[in-house]
Amino acid sequence: MSSTTLAAGSRAAEGNPWLLELSGIVWRELLRFLQQRERFFAALVRPLVWLFIFAAGFRSVLGVSIQPPYETYILYEVYITPGLCGMILLFSGMQTSLAMVYDREMGSMRVLLVSPLPRWYLLLCKLVAGVLVACVQVYVFLAIAWFWDIVPPWYGYLTVLPALVLAGLMLGALGLLLSSVIKQLENFAGVMNFVIFPMFFASSALYPLWRMKEGSLLLYQISTANPFSQAVELIRFALYGQVDPFSLATTAGWTALFLAGALFGYNPARGFVAATGKGE
């Protein structure tokens, strides 16, 4: 990730402004991520706490029966691993959008806006860059989980990548949609908590939906309609080399919906930084 590597990537993209802008934004996000080591460790602490501490306590209480894609009884920590991967994607998507609000409020967004390419493409590049950074964090988490005897099939580490990308795009697009509406950095940080925790806890990340139905029909219906539940199930099946058509279609649909809303919110006609009260 040195300046020499960055220069080599820029030369490879030379002559193609679309690819040049994408590579530039991706490298910018990767370098920012590497320079913020606290962000990397914080992203891993949350799922690892659930995996190593909470899972040990809940194992005897929340036993999981045989259900697809599992073919035998599994430990509770095996069940929640896909949900914790989704947690990483969720927090990363919101943090990327928080950075968008920060760049817009501090004025550094104008540096990117000098590009002659459409602004919607700039938004997509930011989204893709954030997803790639989040996927790196997920694979580091899966590597640590492997030492905890959470070992999916070897091919699962490959088949899960498309699911991670699609789920990351959906959650990142949701964050961008929120960042297009919320005007101030302080407000966005507060709203994040009202979005992240209900989405995470009212989902299939920590417990099967059928168990939730036994306790509360209303909570079961909310969790079933929760886009995060479908993203988690998409990752769960993909981690074992399978595809859940309903989760795939639902996640793709929510991704398109959130992305359309974000593109509308950042429409140049409305002023790309209009949320700060400063039109372009």
Side-chain angles (χ1 to χ4, degrees):
M1 300 275 178
S2 64
S3 57
T4 303
T5 306
L6 179 59
S10 299
R11 286 194 298 270
E14 189 174 356
N16 188 333
W18 299 81
L19 183 58
L20 181 61
E21 180 163 341
L22 174 61
S23 62
I25 292 177
V26 169
W27 279 113
R28 179 177 183 266
E29 292 300 316
L30 286 174
L31 291 174
R32 170 188 282 181
F33 174 71
L34 290 177
Q35 292 171 359
Q36 298 174 345
R37 295 181 178 86
E38 298 83 0
R39 174 183 169 187
F40 174 73
F41 290 111
L44 291 178
V45 165
R46 284 184 293 263
L48 289 177
V49 166
W50 276 101
L51 184 63
F52 297 153
I53 300 178
F54 286 91
F58 292 158
R59 182 188 302 171
S60 60
V61 179
L62 297 173
V64 180
S65 64
I66 300 175
Q67 65 178 64
Y70 310 108
E71 299 178 353
T72 182
Y73 285 95
I74 58 172
L75 295 176
Y76 179 64
E77 47 261 47
V78 174
Y79 175 82
I80 66 172
T81 295
L84 298 180
C85 292
M87 171 196 279
I88 295 175
L89 295 175
L90 177 60
F91 275 88
S92 180
M94 293 300 162
Q95 287 178 339
T96 299
S97 301
L98 180 63
M100 285 280 290
V101 177
Y102 178 84
D103 290 344
R104 189 177 61 200
E105 190 170 281
M106 297 298 105
S108 56
M109 181 63 68
R110 291 183 175 82
V111 177
L112 297 177
L113 292 179
V114 299
S115 169
L117 297 178
R119 295 182 180 181
W120 61 262
Y121 183 70
L122 170 65
L123 191 66
L124 290 179
C125 290
K126 292 281 291 183
L127 179 58
V128 170
V131 172
L132 292 179
V133 170
C135 288
V136 171
Q137 298 176 58
V138 171
Y139 274 101
V140 173
F141 167 73
L142 289 175
I144 297 175
W146 185 85
F147 291 98
W148 202 252
D149 292 332
I150 300 175
V151 185
W154 66 267
Y155 53 81
Y157 293 102
L158 302 177
T159 57
V160 77
L161 180 58
L164 293 175
V165 171
L166 181 57
L169 288 174
M170 183 194 77
L171 297 171
L174 173 60
L176 290 178
L177 174 59
L178 293 175
S179 70
S180 70
V181 176
I182 301 173
K183 299 181 179 181
Q184 295 181 340
L185 184 65
E186 296 81 3
N187 294 339
F188 187 83
V191 169
M192 281 176 57
N193 294 327
F194 289 99
V195 173
I196 290 177
F197 292 108
M199 287 192 73
F200 179 70
F201 287 107
S203 72
S204 61
L206 300 179
Y207 16 74
L209 294 181
W210 65 267
R211 278 193 173 274
M212 197 178 300
K213 188 176 183 179
E214 293 177 350
S216 172
L217 180 60
L218 177 60
L219 183 58
Y220 165 79
Q221 294 172 340
I222 294 174
S223 300
T224 302
N226 183 358
F228 186 70
S229 289
Q230 306 309 322
V232 169
E233 293 306 306
L234 181 66
I235 296 172
R236 189 186 312 281
F237 277 81
L239 199 56
Y240 291 85
Q242 301 180 36
V243 177
D244 182 14
F246 178 74
S247 298
L248 176 60
T250 305
T251 305
W254 280 110
T255 301
L257 182 62
F258 291 149
L259 186 57
L263 293 176
F264 173 77
Y266 280 96
N267 192 319
R270 304 178 65 230
F272 195 54
V273 293
T276 61
K278 303 174 184 178
E280 283 288 293

